[in-house]
Amino acid sequence: MSGQLTDGAGRGGPRTLPALRIVAPEIDGPEDVVAGADGTLFAGAADGAIWRLRLSVSGAAEEATAVAHTGGRPLGLQLLPGGELLVCDARRGLLCVDPRHGTVRVLADEAAGAALRFVSNVTSAADGTVYFTVSSRRYGLDEWLGDFLEHTGTGQLLRLRPGGSPDVLLDGLQFANGVALAPDESFLVVAESGACRLSRYRLTGPRAGTADTLADELPGYPDNISLGPDGAFWVALARPRSSAVELLHDMPRGVRRSAWEVAKRLRLSLPPHPTARVLAVRPDGGPAWDLRAVRSPYRMVTSVCRTEHLLALGSIAERGIAVCAFPGADGSSPAL
């Protein structure tokens, strides 16, 4: 079963995202934000620092501390039960960081004999297996727009078993980005930013090892995914869909590659869009929440995580973390 989440779909269209409060502006470019069971937040910054952030119930920052430094550019994060932090570093590979001592160790920096040049998001299972995505095997983070325009389809989903080396579960993905594990660990959800869809990879049952679509025709380009306490997959949309980009994607490969060469030569970019939008998708692919701010001061939202009372948003293009009250905190949250 899969669902469509086209613009305006689900519960009468998007609701207004509550007013955002920017906290910890000293954190530059927190591409992903994750929350521990006690509500403590962690985020990675453009300079390689890993930050720990404690908020009050109202969302005010009570503490913001740099607890480690990866020596690269951290993207997706995942907290482990023992307190360590899995970190996808776009320049160093898959890392494990201990925020208590500031130590950093490399878990994987290559797969199938090739360097991991653009790992993007990560999740872990109860047995210690780690699943992570590679956005592109052709372009690195600094040239992410090249992959987005060229539409290379070289993204991957990988698995790292305890004591093993990474193996590829899915290849040919369109800018693979966020990844999250279902509450019962029966499947993984992968965000394909370049295809505006959430793909599902089954881990158990008669269809284990196969992939299909959980939700497609998303109203924007999905980035990181987090599993909320409500059992929903919370997805950040980095920007609304672009008809010009999608028209380019329908062109022959040579045209797409030439478009990137021109953009690179002229130093063109895709500026952050003033719309901030996050979705929550049920495990069956149906829509649970659709929240949008059309003139947001906080742009290019690349991650969202939900705590009991708050939503915390990260952005690769902004300073600080954006926090707002969760609209369902009064008990109005839809049942999954």
Side-chain angles (χ1 to χ4, degrees):
M1 179 178 182
S2 66
Q4 286 193 340
L5 290 170
T6 52
D7 197 23
R11 302 188 182 276
R15 294 173 55 179
T16 300
L17 185 70
L20 297 172
R21 170 191 288 178
I22 311 302
V23 299
E26 59 267 38
I27 306 176
D28 182 17
E31 196 269 349
D32 193 18
V33 180
V34 297
D38 62 353
T40 299
L41 302 180
F42 289 89
D47 65 357
I50 301 295
W51 287 79
R52 181 181 63 220
L53 182 66
R54 291 194 173 98
L55 303 178
S56 67
V57 173
S58 66
E62 296 182 334
E63 176 202 353
T65 306
V67 295
H69 200 291
T70 69
R73 202 327 176 179
L75 299 177
L77 311 173
Q78 171 73 22
L79 274 168
L80 295 175
E84 291 183 311
L85 195 66
L86 295 173
V87 178
C88 289
D89 191 292
R91 299 189 173 95
R92 297 196 61 199
L94 180 65
L95 312 178
C96 184
V97 172
D98 189 336
R100 296 162 296 190
H101 308 293
T103 58
V104 178
R105 56 190 174 95
V106 178
L107 298 180
D109 55 11
E110 65 175 34
L116 293 172
R117 61 186 304 168
F118 197 166
V119 292
S120 51
N121 204 218
V122 62
T123 189
S124 61
D127 66 358
T129 301
V130 174
Y131 302 94
F132 63 101
T133 52
V134 169
S135 290
S136 172
R137 287 184 288 110
R138 181 174 174 83
Y139 295 104
L141 175 63
D142 294 334
E143 292 188 323
W144 70 268
L145 184 59
D147 193 279
F148 204 69
L149 295 180
E150 193 175 327
H151 210 46
T152 69
T154 59
Q156 296 178 314
L157 170 67
L158 298 99
R159 172 180 57 197
L160 178 63
R161 290 190 172 103
S165 56
D167 58 300
V168 178
L169 299 181
L170 288 177
D171 207 343
L173 301 178
Q174 291 293 350
F175 207 90
N177 223 322
V179 61
L181 190 62
D184 63 0
E185 299 197 354
S186 62
F187 65 90
L188 293 160
V189 177
V190 180
E192 290 188 75
S193 301
C196 297
R197 69 172 170 241
L198 303 180
S199 296
R200 171 173 48 196
Y201 181 85
R202 298 180 185 271
L203 296 170
T204 62
R207 298 175 64 186
T210 65
D212 59 9
T213 298
L214 180 70
D216 59 4
E217 296 298 331
L218 300 184
Y221 301 108
D223 207 299
N224 290 313
I225 306 175
S226 65
L227 185 65
D230 50 6
F233 299 105
W234 283 85
V235 185
L237 301 183
R239 62 179 295 121
R241 293 171 68 158
S242 164
S243 57
V245 169
E246 294 183 23
L247 179 63
L248 178 63
H249 287 174
D250 289 334
M251 298 290 183
R253 182 177 179 180
V255 174
R256 302 195 305 269
R257 181 170 295 182
S258 295
W260 163 236
E261 292 298 330
V262 170
K264 182 168 59 173
R265 185 169 62 252
L266 298 180
R267 298 183 180 180
L268 302 178
S269 63
L270 202 61
H273 196 278
T275 296
R277 193 165 184 175
V278 299
L279 307 174
V281 178
R282 298 194 305 261
D284 66 0
W289 287 94
D290 183 353
L291 303 171
R292 179 178 66 178
V294 294
R295 285 182 289 274
S296 172
Y298 196 79
R299 306 162 302 160
M300 201 171 183
V301 174
T302 49
S303 66
V304 55
C305 70
R306 183 193 155 184
T307 67
E308 183 179 358
H309 302 290
L310 302 169
L311 291 177
L313 282 58
S315 168
I316 198 170
E318 298 284 2
R319 298 191 68 92
I321 293 169
V323 180
C324 68
F326 176 57
D330 60 357
S332 63
S333 176
L336 296 178

